[in-house]
Amino acid sequence: MNDLAIVWFRRDFRLADNPALDHACERHAQVLPVYIHDVEAEGDWAPGAASRWWLHHALIDLDLRLRERGSRLLIRAGAARELLTRLVAETGAAAVYWNRLYEPSLVARDRQIKQQLRDADVHAQSFRAAALFEPWELLKDDQQPYRVFTPFWKRMQRDWRAVSHCPEPRQLPPAPKGPASASVQDLGLLPDHDWPDTLAGHWTVGERAAKQRLGGFVECVADYDERRNRPDLNGTSRLSPDLHFGHLSPMQVVEALSPAGELPDGKGALAYVRELAWREFSMAMLFHEPRLSDEPLQPRFQAFPWRAADEYADDLARWQRGRTGVPLVDAGMRELWATGWMHNRVRMVVASWLTKNLLIPWQEGARWFWDTLVDADLANNTQGWQWTAGCGADAAPYFRVFNPELQAGKFDPEARYIQRWCPELAGLDHKALAKMDAHARRHCGYPSLQADLKRSRQRALDAFAEIRA
C-alpha cells in the first residue's frame, strides 16, 4: 500500500490547528498538500476582486511555510472532482483529507467527491476546522434550525465545550517530487487596477500576520465591548479576513481570549465571542437555507417595491464610489474602496442608506461588498444585508432606518473618521456638516445630497407598509 496522503487545502491556509493536515501527518509517511482553484464549483459566488488579491498572497504564504518545513504546495486549476481523481492516479495516494466548508454548492460538490473517492477504495475524510460547532449541531428542540440569533447564542452558551487546537508542526512528511504544479501567478488572481498596491499598504497576508493581529487584539480586548462601535477608534479585531481564509481558526481565537478554552469571563472578550457566534449563526443559516444568498428569507419581501434598475443606476454608482453627499456613508464607502474593509457599524449604515433611503435591492449591495471586501464571506455578507434590509433572519424591524447623521454624532463624535476618508470635509464638525447647503458643498468640492433624509425615510416606511403582513 502506498503510504501517501493528499491534503486538500481550501480556505484553511494555516499549519497550526489544521485537523486535515494533522491527521495526515500522524498516519502517513508522505503528505502532498494540494490547492485546486475550482471557480466553477462556487457558481455565481466565485471570489470577488479583493478576495482574489488576498487569495493570491495567501497561497504564496502557505507555500513558503510548507517549504520551511520540508514540504511544498501543489497547485492545479480546474474541477476538483476530476483533478483529485487524476492526482490519486498519478501518485497512488491512499487517502485524501480536507477541512469542511459549508456553502451549499461546495457541500454538494464535496459529498460527490467523497463518495467518488470511496468508490475507488481511496480513504476520504473531512474535518471541522472553520467552526466552533457544525451547522447541524445547534438545533431547536424540534430539530429545526434557529432563525433568530438570541436563542441560538443562548443554546451555544448552554452547549459550550472547551475548545483546543493542535499545534503547528515543526516538520512535515516529505511531498512526492513527481506531480507538476502550476504557479500562483498562473491562476491570474490579481485584479487589473491599482488595488494590488493599495491593499498591500493596509494588509499583510498570512498565518504569521494573523497571529500578530490576534495577539494585538487580545491585549486590548477588555475594552472591545465599548470601543467596537466606534469607527474613529482602533477598537475592532480586524480578524475577519484571517478567519475567512483560515489563517486562524475560531478555536485559536477563543483559546487566545480564554486560555482554558472556556467561555471567557471578561465583558469585552465575551462580546467578541458573541460576534463569533453570529458568524456561526450565519454559517448555519446558509447551510440550512441554500437560497439565502439570492432570495429574501421572508417570502413577503418578494413583493417589495424596489426601484427599477434603470431608475437607480446613477444612485448605485454614486453609492459605490462614496459620492452620496452623506458624510458617514461616503467615508465608509471610500474606506472600503481604499482598504478592502469597512467598520461593521458603518457597514450597517451604508446598507441602510442603499436599501431604505434609496430603495435599491439589497442584492446590489451584497454584490458590491462581495467584490470589494477582503473578508467577503457568503454567509456573513448575506446575513448582514438581509438583516439591514429587514427581510432576513433576526431582521431589524421594518421601521428601523438608520439615520446617518445621528449615527455619526454618536459613534464618530469628533468627525475624525469622516474627515479621514472625506478630506474635503476637514475642519468641519457635525453641526457644520449638518448645515451644509448647496453652496457650501460646491465650495469644498463635496457632492450634493443624494436624497432627503426625512422624505426618503418616509418613502421606505410606505414601501414596507405595502407588504406588511
Side-chain angles (χ1 to χ4, degrees):
M1 177 179 176
N2 188 342
D3 197 18
L4 165 68
I6 291 171
V7 176
W8 179 21
F9 283 83
R10 291 105 74 78
R11 290 199 304 270
D12 48 356
F13 301 129
R14 63 182 183 272
L15 303 188
D17 197 30
N18 190 318
L21 179 63
D22 191 60
H23 193 84
C25 291
E26 287 182 355
R27 290 162 175 78
H28 297 270
Q30 286 187 301
V31 173
L32 178 60
V34 171
Y35 171 76
I36 298 175
H37 193 56
D38 187 1
V39 178
E40 294 297 323
E42 304 197 64
D44 294 335
W45 295 99
S51 292
R52 292 195 303 272
W53 174 86
W54 193 286
L55 175 60
H56 174 93
H57 293 285
L59 291 171
I60 291 174
D61 176 76
L62 178 61
D63 183 51
L64 176 63
R65 291 178 60 73
L66 288 168
R67 290 180 185 275
E68 289 173 349
R69 286 154 182 78
S71 186
R72 67 181 176 115
L73 181 65
L74 185 144
I75 297 174
R76 296 278 173 92
R81 187 174 179 179
E82 298 174 5
L83 293 177
L84 280 173
T85 301
R86 194 178 305 167
L87 272 172
V88 168
E90 285 182 45
T91 62
V96 181
Y97 303 114
W98 64 85
N99 297 313
R100 287 188 280 276
L101 298 172
Y102 302 103
E103 289 84 351
S105 63
L106 301 184
V107 169
R109 178 199 64 179
D110 293 352
R111 284 174 178 162
Q112 292 178 342
I113 289 174
K114 186 175 286 187
Q115 189 60 52
Q116 179 178 295
L117 290 169
R118 289 175 175 174
D119 289 345
D121 293 325
V122 177
H123 182 66
Q125 188 172 353
S126 60
F127 301 85
R128 176 179 60 84
L132 296 165
F133 290 85
E134 299 283 15
W136 51 86
E137 287 186 309
L138 297 181
L139 300 174
K140 297 188 293 184
D141 291 341
D142 61 2
Q143 298 304 298
Q144 294 300 308
Y146 287 96
R147 291 168 66 114
V148 178
F149 173 69
T150 299
F152 178 90
W153 170 227
K154 290 180 179 178
R155 179 64 181 269
M156 178 182 279
Q157 294 175 85
R158 191 190 80 185
D159 292 0
W160 188 267
R161 58 198 175 209
V163 302
S164 61
H165 70 272
C166 45
E168 181 177 327
R170 294 186 177 182
Q171 195 70 17
L172 295 172
K177 296 180 180 180
S181 174
S183 70
V184 176
Q185 288 73 19
D186 290 336
L187 301 180
L189 296 170
L190 294 179
D192 57 5
H193 44 66
D194 61 356
W195 259 354
D197 294 331
T198 303
L199 297 182
H202 293 276
W203 297 98
T204 302
V205 178
E207 188 173 7
R208 288 192 183 95
K211 289 179 179 178
Q212 289 174 354
R213 278 189 283 273
L214 175 59
F217 175 60
V218 169
E219 291 179 0
C220 60
V221 72
D223 297 328
Y224 175 75
D225 189 52
E226 297 178 0
R227 294 165 62 92
R228 65 191 177 95
N229 279 310
R230 292 281 300 273
D232 59 329
L233 303 177
N234 184 22
T236 63
S237 72
R238 295 177 69 90
L239 294 176
S240 50
D242 299 311
L243 286 164
H244 174 70
F245 284 95
H247 302 302
L248 292 172
S249 73
M251 287 68 74
Q252 288 175 287
V253 175
V254 170
E255 276 203 298
L257 297 173
S258 177
E262 301 288 353
L263 276 169
D265 295 327
K267 188 175 181 181
L270 186 61
Y272 189 77
V273 174
R274 191 175 187 274
E275 297 296 325
L276 292 179
W278 174 262
R279 176 178 179 268
E280 304 254 334
F281 176 62
S282 300
M283 194 182 298
M285 279 297 304
L286 183 61
F287 178 84
H288 292 291
E289 298 280 355
R291 62 187 177 87
L292 201 65
S293 59
D294 299 290
E295 299 178 20
L297 182 65
Q298 297 183 36
R300 64 193 175 103
F301 272 82
Q302 295 283 10
F304 188 82
W306 301 109
R307 294 163 65 196
D310 57 351
E311 180 186 345
Y312 65 65
D314 181 64
D315 280 337
L316 176 62
R318 287 183 61 181
W319 176 84
Q320 289 171 339
R321 299 300 177 182
R323 305 290 295 172
T324 68
V326 182
L328 185 59
V329 173
D330 291 343
M333 298 307 295
R334 295 182 195 186
E335 179 188 27
L336 173 61
W337 186 255
T339 70
W341 187 86
M342 189 194 300
H343 189 280
N344 190 60
R345 168 60 57 173
V346 185
R347 293 188 197 199
M348 292 188 286
V349 174
V350 304
S352 178
W353 181 259
L354 184 77
T355 58
K356 293 181 175 176
N357 296 88
L358 299 181
L359 289 188
I360 294 177
W362 63 268
Q363 292 93 332
E364 293 279 17
R367 280 289 176 186
W368 185 251
F369 272 26
W370 184 255
D371 197 46
T372 53
L373 282 171
V374 293
D375 64 0
D377 178 272
L378 189 57
N380 272 351
N381 192 44
T382 298
Q383 278 276 72
W385 276 96
Q386 291 220 31
W387 183 89
T388 307
C391 59
D394 217 40
Y398 74 91
F399 52 79
R400 181 182 295 168
V401 181
F402 282 91
N403 183 312
E405 291 182 353
L406 296 179
Q407 291 284 309
K410 184 175 182 180
F411 298 113
D412 183 26
E414 297 179 12
R416 291 179 180 174
Y417 176 78
I418 287 173
Q419 292 176 19
R420 178 183 179 187
W421 295 108
C422 300
E424 67 269 40
L425 301 178
L428 299 179
D429 61 17
H430 288 299
K431 289 184 178 180
L433 292 173
K435 292 179 180 179
M436 279 194 300
D437 58 15
H439 174 74
R441 289 170 179 269
R442 286 194 299 270
H443 179 72
C444 64
Y446 190 63
S448 59
L449 186 60
Q450 193 173 34
D452 179 83
L453 269 63
K454 290 183 179 179
R455 285 197 292 268
S456 61
R457 179 182 185 275
Q458 187 58 52
R459 181 177 63 171
L461 296 180
D462 292 343
F464 279 101
E466 292 184 28
I467 63 164
R468 197 186 321 168

